[in-house]
Amino acid sequence: MKKIVLLGATGSIGQTTLELVRRNPEKFQIVGASAHAHFPELEKIASEFGIKYLLDTREPFSAKEFLKKGEPDIVLNAVSGFAGLKFSLATIEADLPLALANKESLVAGGELLMQLAREKDIDILPVDSEHSAIFQCLQGEGNFEKIILTCSGGPFYGRKKEELKNISVDQALAHPQWSMGAKISVDSATLANKCLEVFEAMHLFRAKGEQIEIVIHPQAIVHSMVQFPDSSIKAQLSPPTMELPISCALQFPQRTKTGCPVQDFSDLNLSFTTPDRETFRTLKLLDTCTQEMANFPIVFNAANEVAVAEFLAGNIPFLDIFDLLERVIGETQKEAVDSIEKIFDIDARARKMAQKYFS
Ligand code: NDP
Ligand code: MG
């Protein structure tokens, strides 16, 4: 029986995790959970799952103290956005293994988070489907040459810039393969999500930017691949459901049946192609950021969070997300990131820079 603290229980990953637990009550038990704006819903969840410790993250709290309460075996961080970083840090500081969905933790705090985890010998188990795939491909391996990060292309795959002028929020949220939270759905539409995933992979797997190739794979069956020095390539396949990477992270290093769907090969066509960098200009900014690193991923993430929130609120058109990111990255000077305080400071200043765009 794995005892889990589920942070962000009311979100998309949180709900998928609860479904997995509902189906496998003999394997998983939620001992603690958090919610933010939907805290009243968490109380209902808690009565169904018998969760003892609840955290309302709108109130002041100590994440480290909370995490220790139910004596969990593992913490699943499914909080969205930069707000997730403090929970990832607290998990490692509390000497607990971290199943990590919150990619922004690694994007903004990857250097320090990974260093702390290595020093304390704490496992960070990726939940993001691509990183789970890479992690699975790397088991039992030594050096790798290249990571091939697959990308479904999002809802606007194949469209050109002119066709993206009048995109509505609903259109941006309608992902063809995945059902996800609003922020990551918009990020999948701009491919900013793939940029965040490149930073995430660089930290998790100690890869250089040039070792990561983004490949468009609309069916989202191959969740990523790893190429080794002898030119062999390993891939991980499954239907597009987050249940499998969640199950994999929570059970690692074991693999037991948890009722995840199995891939049917009877009528399956898989295709791969290169991304359109002219339409999805986030990928050009990614190159600048991976060359510079340091504060650039933090700035990219902060400006993107501001832009997506404004788009979701109906305040800016879809294409302005690209413009805003270009402007903020264009104005960014390289700065060393040598402390947690510095990460929060860079994030706050980048948000201000992005907000200037609206004044
Ligand atoms: P959702 O927006 O659906 O859920 C976010 C969760 O975080 C909710 O429980 C929300 O609580 C909570 N939350 C929001 N703001 C705060 C805050 N300031 N402090 C603490 N908790 C907060 O997001 P997703 O489930 O889609 O994504 C979660 C993370 O997983 C993201 O980092 C995303 O990139 C990553 N991810 C998601 C995938 C997916 O399929 N959805 C796939 C791969 C990665 P409340 O609802 O109560 O406000
Ligand atoms: Mg992903």
Side-chain angles (χ1 to χ4, degrees), residues 7 279 335:
L7 301 170
T279 305
E335 278 180 60

Side-chain angles (χ1 to χ4, degrees), residues 93-129:
E93 278 162 7
D95 294 314
L96 291 165
L98 173 63
L100 186 58
N102 177 261
K103 63 190 81 185
E104 296 86 350
S105 289
L106 284 168
V107 172
E111 199 78 40
L112 292 172
L113 199 64
M114 293 306 294
Q115 194 186 328
L116 191 65
R118 275 193 288 270
E119 277 168 17
K120 294 184 130 243
D121 197 20
I122 300 286
D123 284 337
I124 298 184
L125 302 154
V127 169
D128 208 349
S129 56

